[in-house]
Amino acid sequence: MSRSPLRRSLATPVLLGLILVAFALVAWAVGSKPFNQTIIDIFLKVIFAVGLWVFIGNSGVISFGHIAFACLGGYVAAWTTIKPMMKGISMPGLPDWLMQTEIPYWAAAAVGAGWAAVWALIFGAVLMRLSGIAASIATFAMLAMVNSIYSNWDSVTAATSSVVGIPIVRSVWPYLIAAILAVVLGWAYGISRHGLALRAARDEPTAAAASGVNIPRMRLIAFVVSGAIMGMGGALYAHSIGIVTPDTFYLGLTFITLSMLVVGGMGSLSGAVLGVLFLSSLIQGLRWLEAGVQVGTSTFALPGGVQEIALGAVMILILMFRPAGIMGNRELTLPRAGSDTPGRSGPTN
């Protein structure tokens, strides 16, 4: 890769990082605990959306199973950060060495990323040989399998009971750092040889295969990288709320993150991030309106359920009028000198 395209693509993670920093500074300036938690939730969704984009955006294969890796990371946080006495009560089947383990949240996030990557490699070795709807259904089966195992493994996951005692991290800054790290990892993968080869296989599979691209292997690499990002996000998600259950990482989180990716645009890293910021801001605004806003001497409040209706309406409108999402296949870049048009997509072209 020549230096000029690399320099132009570098603007994408820098601009996205600055946008995320701006959100964190707003949370710090407001100083409200509920608003701070809202920004933390946004940063976590950014991590999940970027993790999805690494695989879906580059391979073109829709995955319904990636939240399974977040589940793996979330339980790693429970196994490694809860006090040994509490682990003995809720998860007595853990091995002694793990029962006595107690590490910081950031180390648990790193271990969760590694644990999820290992299982992404195992699952992906089989699933990445599939294509199209067969691959999508197989990833959903993976999600259902992980959820079923964790919902019934009494002695190790407490089954469907809530695992409590996970140290809660309320500061917005660790989540900001993790979100920026996810963006940088996504960008680095996108401009790598493997990312370029996978997008070539996505756009022209026959030509790519004829050129020597091993499509299952390229998909597997993306699957492992995206699984690691999801695992990190799952561990931090557990630390943001202090509890985990298998259903925390199931259909609800799956479809909201997929919706954010579709709205922003599956074809670009910028779309993954901006889709989260757009939909999260919309949902939060509607949530405030549902709670009631004082207007003079009266209170204006939207009826319950408007959030879900609005989310569905936005999805329909996006799919009707802009199927490629808000960003399409374009990235946020600095304008080129002597050009009146924005820069094209760096990692996704």
Side-chain angles (χ1 to χ4, degrees):
M1 178 179 291
S2 66
R3 185 175 179 180
S4 178
L6 176 61
R7 185 184 302 165
R8 284 182 50 222
S9 70
L10 183 60
T12 298
V14 171
L15 293 174
L16 294 174
L18 290 174
I19 293 173
L20 296 177
V21 169
F23 271 70
L25 290 175
V26 169
W28 174 76
V30 171
S32 164
K33 289 184 178 180
F35 187 73
N36 189 77
Q37 186 62 41
T38 297
I39 298 300
I40 288 174
D41 290 341
I42 289 175
F43 289 157
L44 290 168
K45 295 295 194 309
V46 166
I47 295 171
F48 293 143
V50 170
L52 284 174
W53 173 81
V54 167
F55 178 70
I56 297 176
N58 289 283
S59 71
V61 177
I62 302 296
S63 171
F64 296 107
H66 266 63
I67 294 302
F69 301 125
C71 181
L72 296 174
Y75 275 88
V76 164
W79 294 337
T80 58
T81 62
I82 295 177
K83 297 290 184 184
M85 182 180 297
M86 296 190 68
K87 281 190 277 191
I89 296 172
S90 59
M91 298 175 289
L94 291 175
D96 289 340
W97 66 270
L98 190 54
M99 190 74 74
Q100 300 304 318
T101 298
E102 189 177 351
I103 61 178
Y105 71 91
W106 54 266
V111 175
W115 179 242
V118 168
W119 282 101
L121 179 63
I122 294 171
F123 283 120
V126 177
L127 300 183
M128 294 304 100
R129 298 181 180 279
L130 304 174
S131 298
I133 190 65
S136 298
I137 293 174
T139 59
F140 183 76
M142 177 188 72
L143 173 65
M145 183 170 65
V146 170
N147 180 265
S148 179
I149 292 172
Y150 276 60
S151 295
N152 291 279
W153 203 355
D154 263 338
S155 61
V156 173
T157 65
T160 56
S161 300
S162 297
V163 177
V164 299
I166 301 172
I168 299 177
V169 180
R170 296 293 189 196
S171 173
V172 73
W173 305 111
Y175 301 96
L176 169 66
I177 293 171
I180 292 177
L181 176 61
V183 169
V184 171
L185 288 174
W187 166 79
Y189 172 79
I191 65 170
S192 71
R193 177 171 58 89
H194 301 297
L196 295 171
L198 184 57
R199 286 194 300 281
R202 176 198 66 188
D203 297 335
E204 296 290 346
T206 303
S211 300
V213 175
N214 186 331
I215 297 177
R217 183 171 179 270
M218 293 300 107
R219 286 179 179 169
L220 179 59
I221 292 171
F223 201 67
V224 171
V225 173
S226 62
I229 293 173
M230 301 297 284
M232 176 182 69
L236 291 173
Y237 192 98
H239 284 291
S240 74
I241 57 178
I243 62 173
V244 289
T245 66
D247 284 346
T248 302
F249 305 98
Y250 201 37
L251 297 181
L253 192 55
T254 293
F255 289 116
I256 190 65
T257 49
L258 276 172
S259 299
M260 290 172 171
L261 183 61
V262 170
V263 168
M266 291 189 292
S268 77
L269 175 61
S270 300
V273 175
L274 296 182
V276 172
L277 301 182
F278 173 73
L279 277 190
S280 295
S281 300
L282 175 64
I283 291 171
Q284 186 58 43
L286 292 172
R287 187 175 297 158
W288 284 334
L289 291 176
E290 285 183 10
V293 177
Q294 194 73 25
V295 181
T297 57
S298 59
T299 301
F300 172 76
L302 293 175
V306 171
Q307 295 177 50
E308 291 77 11
I309 296 172
L311 180 60
V314 169
M315 286 285 292
I316 291 171
L317 291 173
I318 287 291
L319 292 172
M320 284 177 60
F321 299 108
R322 199 170 177 84
I326 294 172
M327 292 299 295
N329 293 324
R330 303 177 72 86
E331 298 286 1
L332 288 178
T333 59
L334 296 174
R336 286 175 292 178
S339 173
D340 295 329
T341 59
R344 289 181 175 269
S345 164
T348 58
N349 277 352

